[in-house]
Amino acid sequence: MATALLPLRRGWKQASHLFFARQTWNSSPVRPPSLPKRLLIFLAQHFHDVQELLIWTSKFKSSQLRKKNAYYGYTQRYYGDVIASAYYVLSLKGGFRYAGQSEWFHTDKRGKFNWDFLNHKDLPLEEVDMSHTIINHIGLDNLVGQPFLRTLSVRGCSEVDDWFLARLHEFQDTLEELDISHCPRITIGGLAALRNLKKLRHLDVSSLPRIANPGLVIILLEEMLPHCQIAANGYDHSLTQEG
Amino acid sequence: MLAWRRLHVTAGTASRLLTSPRVIQQPWMCGQGCQSLSTSKSNQNDFFKDLEFQFESLRKKAADALPSSNWNPHVMNPDMPPGQADIVIVGGGVVGWSIAYWLKAKEGNRGGVKVLVVEKDPRYLQASTVLSAGGIRQQFSLRENIYLSLVSADFMRNINEHLGVLNEDPVDLQFNHSGYLFLANENVAHIMEENIKTQRQAGAKVSLLSPMQLQEKFPWISTKDVALASYGLENEGWFDAWTLLNAFRRKAISMGAIQCFGEVTGFKYAVSRKMIADEESMEYKRIKNVNVQMPNSREYQSVKCAVVVNAAGASSGKLVGMMDCGLDSTSSETPFPVEPRKRYIYVVHCPNGPGLDCPFLVDYSGIYFRREGLGGNYITGSSPAGDEEPDTTNLEVDHHFFEDRIWPHLAHRVPAFENLKVTSAWAGFYDYNTFDQNAILGNHPVVNNMYIATGFSGHGLQHSPAVGRAMAELILDGNFQTLDLSALSYKRILTQEPMLERNIV
């Protein structure tokens, strides 16, 4: 990179306006990006090197996410299903509670946790709190083996999307409380996947930014899950339309 | 350079000076009683306009004379395809663009293969991709089909890793994870049970429901005559086909694939005769050039190519017909078994219909329906009986088909559908494989460098990502690498061994 940045050939520049043009294929509103981001975009449009670097950075980030959510097979082989799931939850800075115990095991902000959870090898996990973590649909591989999971909270998780909700059918016999509020990637298509959770009694769908008409969605959810109490705060149900 | 800039400045000032004389043009401004009686334009204005025009053309000529301009004495249509391409994909639907994307993804180095995608309809008015119901399911009886659907669902799960373009909006397929529900009566229940075993072995997540469980899960269904139901739990549902097509297109073009709107009207090919057995010889063809004709014009470009991929959907048969190949010199010709078949889709509105839990329901009588949006609208259709295929010259909808063939079964299955209203309808073509209604993937037996990816008979959209990867492996690596789809090759048509899909519908 000490040599001059490789400039783009003219032909590529002409083609680049095809995909750097803003309004072609998506109808979402475009926010003006910040100054450093605009500088990066400008450089990426004119130099191959910068473009490749940005692509590598995003690929690296997604591969890191995949690695963190990978199946803890080694732990599972030596310590069993429950300890593997518990270790996964703690590694991702979540918390859990064993069945029959009232004590919660949490990880603090610096990533430290109490190793006492190893003492309870035979107890299954009953409640798992993964709020504000990077759990995604691959990470559910680690929790799937828990036959007694009753509560799952993924509040504010930025990687939880519709495909994550579609995998929750594996907990359909036991899951009673689910909290998916503040997840920016969940849409109505994923909420339709919750129809399989027969035992669900409490569902929290507050402040989901990608739900377009929350009032109607809440009514449809209540029809779909008749025995479930649905909490949906943080929506503006006023009748005035803006914009 | 300085001289040119001075020219630019003088032209600019001249044009600014020219704005004021325009006031003279309006005759009613020059006082009462003063009318302009001349019928021709004012000569004074013409002179200034001419001057501006002369300056403009002079500036343009000077810019073209500079060495960095791309002035060419031959004035050519800018929309023409290049004169040469490595791989020409005929057909710009979702299968064609998926193959283009995967070819570019596998090429190894930038500019490794020059891929050209030719599509005859720039507005996609009759393309099967955009007219489809958009569903994806794993409930097939053929193992290859189940694998294709599973791989495609996996692709869509990670679609932004594959098709995300730097600094562009992420792809949102609007995937509804509602699952497919197949209903079987007593005659076909055993087929459903066998299929479930195959599906589970291949890794699909499906569950069997008895009529009582079905009634409990979906209270709006009437379970009369239903013996068994199979329900998909994961990776099944429906999505927006146009978004997927454009995501493939955008990513492939950003990687260097070339798009061309034109119709393939013929090929230039070389014929060689080879001995295949004692005293028997066979003619093999090799395509050298593809003739692409521009829309609404007689101009055409003869594109020199190494490989041609037939992903033309409903027009695949017509394309192969341009090669004029009898497949067998000794016995009778086996014609290419893909032809267009028209299918109707009706949009109905029912106020009391099934809610958010409505799956993509397929009944044993052949009808299907799914929810569309949240406003009580549903999309429904059916496969017509064998001898009543509608006319394929146009895409006109027959509304009597709905009243005679679909509504009675709909009302029988879901009592709430007795009062519904048809709000809209459209028709689309299946690229129907008349031989066994399954895809044909692989080389053409007689034309050495034509690859075929067609004949999906309604499943093209849901298999497109996996088919694209398989075809890219076949073309660039010579063999299937990840999924072995050799069972779907053209060989089964020559040996007359159909791979039938034993689905109940």
Side-chain angles (χ1 to χ4, degrees), chain A residues 68-125:
Chain A
K68 287 224 154 77
N69 275 305
Y71 182 56
Y72 281 42
Y74 185 81
T75 325
Q76 191 262 340
R77 200 174 352 139
Y78 286 105
Y79 293 93
D81 271 338
V82 180
I83 300 293
S85 307
Y87 186 47
Y88 167 73
V89 171
L90 291 173
S91 306
L92 252 62
K93 305 210 177 127
F96 66 89
R97 183 180 73 78
Y98 282 114
Q101 298 243 330
S102 59
E103 194 194 342
W104 277 82
F105 291 92
H106 268 286
T107 316
D108 63 7
K109 263 190 292 202
R110 288 169 57 195
K112 301 259 187 284
F113 52 85
N114 194 348
W115 287 90
D116 284 343
F117 74 93
L118 283 174
N119 299 338
H120 309 280
K121 272 193 196 156
D122 305 321
L123 293 173
L125 295 183

Side-chain angles (χ1 to χ4, degrees), chain B residues 237-305:
Chain B
W238 58 88
F239 58 95
D240 184 17
W242 178 241
T243 311
L244 184 65
L245 173 63
N246 274 315
F248 273 128
R249 187 155 69 144
R250 176 178 84 166
K251 184 71 180 176
I253 290 182
S254 83
M255 298 205 281
I258 304 165
Q259 174 179 267
C260 166
F261 288 118
E263 187 173 352
V264 172
T265 47
F267 297 101
K268 272 195 213 137
Y269 50 88
V271 180
S272 63
R273 190 164 272 277
K274 295 199 167 75
M275 305 296 292
I276 45 172
D278 306 326
E279 308 197 6
E280 265 186 40
S281 69
M282 180 106 176
E283 264 189 10
Y284 287 100
K285 298 189 162 92
R286 187 162 205 98
I287 297 176
K288 299 289 180 190
N289 291 56
V290 181
N291 287 349
V292 179
Q293 187 166 359
M294 293 294 107
N296 302 324
S297 159
R298 297 190 70 164
E299 284 181 281
Y300 72 95
Q301 168 79 291
S302 185
V303 181
K304 186 162 173 219
C305 60

